[in-house]
Every structure is written in structure tokens, then in C-alpha cells.
Amino acid sequence: MSADEMFKELGYKKPEDTIFNIEKFVKTIGKTKYCIAFDYFYRRISVFTFEDRESRKDISMQELQAINKKVEELGWMK
């Protein structure tokens, strides 16, 4: 299973409004939008809410597995 399929299974969607060099996966729970973003230029992963980008979001083991799969697919482990 690909990382995109794993994120989709976890309820995340990939928005159409892609920012240059950043791929996002977004999930809405209640009124809160959560985002996992992959910055290709800096090779960084950000996990945040849209309401407060400084806030911390805990991730589940399944989300971590999807993140690790995406990192593997992007070739960042080499």
C-alpha cells in the first residue's frame, strides 16, 4: 500500500491547492483541521492544526507508519 493510500484510509485528503515544494494531507475532526505537510525543499515534516500552527498535534502509530512510508517513497532515507 502506498503512503497516499495509507493517509486516505486514515481519513486524510490531499487538497488541490498545492503549494510549491509542499505536499499536504488534511483531515477534519469536528471544527478542527489537522495537517501533515511534507516540505520537499527542506526535507521537513510538519504536523499542525490550521487554527494554530504553533500548536502540537499528537500522531497515532498509523499516522507515523504513513509518514515513514512517505519518507521512504520520497527517498529521504538515503
Side-chain angles (χ1 to χ4, degrees):
M1 178 182 296
S2 74
D4 289 4
E5 292 169 331
M6 293 171 80
F7 280 115
K8 185 176 182 179
E9 191 172 276
L10 293 169
Y12 284 87
K13 295 181 181 179
K14 209 189 277 195
E16 296 294 325
D17 62 332
T18 304
I19 299 172
F20 183 69
N21 288 330
I22 296 177
E23 182 175 7
K24 297 185 291 186
F25 295 89
V26 178
K27 179 178 184 175
T28 303
I29 301 174
K31 294 181 180 181
T32 306
K33 278 184 152 181
Y34 296 96
C35 182
I36 300 175
F38 295 84
D39 183 327
Y40 298 151
F41 185 76
Y42 292 105
R43 290 189 175 193
R44 291 188 303 196
I45 302 159
S46 300
V47 182
F48 58 89
T49 66
F50 280 96
E51 288 77 20
D52 182 7
R53 289 183 185 249
E54 299 299 318
S55 71
R56 178 180 73 118
K57 181 203 178 297
D58 296 330
I59 59 172
S60 68
M61 289 303 294
Q62 294 83 2
E63 289 169 323
L64 179 59
Q65 289 172 337
I67 289 169
N68 287 334
K69 182 67 174 177
K70 189 67 174 181
V71 167
E72 179 186 319
E73 290 173 2
L74 293 171
W76 291 0
M77 299 294 273
K78 298 176 184 178

